[in-house]
Amino acid sequence: MSLTKAEEQLMEYIWQKEKVFMKELIECFPDPKPATTTVATLLKRMQDKGFVAYTLYGNSREYYPLVEKKDYFSKQMSGMIKNFFNDSVAQFGSFFARDTSMSTQELEELRNIIDEEIKRKQNG
Amino acid sequence: MSLTKAEEQLMEYIWQKEKVFMKELIECFPDPKPATTTVATLLKRMQDKGFVAYTLYGNSREYYPLVEKKDYFSKQMSGMIKNFFNDSVAQFGSFFARDTSMSTQELEELRNIIDEEIKRKQNG
DNA sequence: ATTTTAATTCTACATTTGTAGAGTAACATA
DNA sequence: TATGTTACTCTACAAATGTAGAATTAAAAT
């Protein structure tokens, strides 16, 4: 199962904070901030889906993610790559380099990252 | 505005075919195929959203995309990058290289693509 | 102990999305 | 031209989503 838009937004704040009480979460939102009940509903649904859990402190809960951002994101990416690029990561990469408006500098930075990654994989 | 999951699936077929009649679209789906009315509804909504248009041939319509796949996809990516990577393409690239399960071969392929792209940009 | 405050649950409701039946219009053909 | 065929529109409806009021519970403050 996957997060909806509203849940995803909230999840992003949770990932940022690592651990967080509802009150703090609401403060993360720009005005107009959602009602506490709205956030509570989303948190509930996210628990049901297995994305967050909490530790009880007194009467309030400190929420934390059960799914890592990178795993969630990877899954999202896989989905897109599957749908749009015939399940070929390379085809996607090609698209990404060509058709995303990256500056030369950004491209070079990316190439360096990839280079390092290749080396890292070759060594161990 | 953006496409829903079902619309996106349909759009993918339209992009593949470039021009297509509803009948052919339905054939694209795996069994169990959706009812014609279902596809018709989706096509209608997609027209309203400005994603497809059609040419009339007799009493039937040949649909074609108004939005290019790469543009649509770019926008999707931008959204994700904005949400998950603080609007930094490089940060995304870094994530992509490190945390997506790409083989060394795929990474090398990607590096070559990026290299070419850098050269292309430097020349003209 | 009583009041205040804050978090959680229950319930609700409008909107969006996925899906399709029934009816209608137009075309093909006997 | 009557009849079947196909595509489209209108309408409908269940499920998912975004949002939040009312009631409840529990902690905190006085």
Side-chain angles (χ1 to χ4, degrees):
Chain A
M1 193 141 21
S2 161
L3 299 171
T4 68
K5 277 297 149 207
E7 287 164 358
E8 219 170 69
Q9 173 63 80
L10 191 55
M11 194 70 190
E12 182 56 33
Y13 295 140
I14 297 170
W15 277 320
Q16 269 167 31
K17 303 254 175 200
E18 313 233 0
K19 296 173 168 195
V20 64
F21 291 92
M22 203 185 69
K23 186 171 189 177
E24 303 171 73
L25 276 177
I26 290 169
E27 280 160 17
C28 292
F29 284 88
D31 293 311
K33 302 190 192 311
T36 58
T37 50
T38 300
V39 174
T41 302
L42 293 176
L43 285 170
K44 195 87 188 296
R45 291 178 183 166
M46 287 158 83
Q47 284 164 235
D48 293 346
K49 291 182 180 179
F51 282 91
V52 299
Y54 58 83
T55 312
L56 207 56
Y57 286 105
N59 71 331
S60 52
R61 300 167 177 188
E62 188 176 46
Y63 293 92
Y64 59 87
L66 285 180
V67 174
E68 279 184 63
K69 175 169 164 170
K70 78 178 203 323
D71 292 333
Y72 179 75
F73 194 82
S74 285
K75 210 157 279 177
Q76 295 296 105
M77 286 304 306
S78 300
M80 286 183 95
I81 290 172
K82 187 167 196 161
N83 283 337
F84 288 97
F85 296 97
N86 259 31
D87 228 339
S88 156
V89 176
Q91 202 181 320
F92 163 73
S94 166
F95 166 84
F96 184 69
R98 286 209 185 87
D99 295 321
T100 295
S101 51
M102 285 176 89
S103 65
T104 305
Q105 198 181 358
E106 282 173 322
L107 283 171
E108 277 172 354
E109 199 176 331
L110 181 54
R111 183 185 51 190
N112 292 343
I113 289 162
I114 291 169
D115 260 351
E116 276 169 36
E117 188 58 16
I118 290 171
K119 278 178 202 148
R120 205 181 59 70
K121 277 202 170 148
Q122 281 168 347
N123 298 331
Chain B
M1 196 138 22
S2 163
L3 299 171
T4 68
K5 278 297 152 209
E7 288 164 356
E8 221 171 67
Q9 175 61 82
L10 192 54
M11 195 70 190
E12 183 57 32
Y13 296 141
I14 297 171
W15 277 321
Q16 268 167 32
K17 304 251 175 203
E18 313 233 359
K19 293 174 169 194
V20 63
F21 290 92
M22 204 184 66
K23 186 169 191 180
E24 304 171 72
L25 276 177
I26 290 170
E27 281 160 16
C28 293
F29 284 88
D31 293 311
K33 303 192 193 308
T36 58
T37 50
T38 300
V39 174
T41 302
L42 292 177
L43 285 169
K44 195 88 190 296
R45 290 178 183 166
M46 288 158 83
Q47 284 164 236
D48 293 346
K49 291 181 181 179
F51 281 90
V52 299
Y54 59 82
T55 312
L56 207 56
Y57 285 105
N59 71 330
S60 50
R61 299 165 178 188
E62 189 176 45
Y63 294 91
Y64 59 87
L66 285 180
V67 173
E68 281 183 61
K69 175 168 165 171
K70 78 178 204 321
D71 292 334
Y72 179 75
F73 195 82
S74 285
K75 211 158 280 179
Q76 295 296 103
M77 286 305 305
S78 300
M80 287 183 96
I81 291 172
K82 187 166 198 163
N83 283 336
F84 288 96
F85 297 97
N86 258 33
D87 227 340
S88 155
V89 176
Q91 200 181 320
F92 163 74
S94 168
F95 165 85
F96 184 68
R98 286 207 186 88
D99 295 320
T100 294
S101 53
M102 285 176 86
S103 66
T104 307
Q105 200 183 354
E106 282 173 322
L107 283 171
E108 278 172 353
E109 200 176 329
L110 181 54
R111 184 185 50 190
N112 292 343
I113 290 162
I114 291 169
D115 262 351
E116 276 170 37
E117 189 57 18
I118 290 171
K119 278 178 202 144
R120 206 182 57 69
K121 278 202 170 148
Q122 282 168 346
N123 298 332

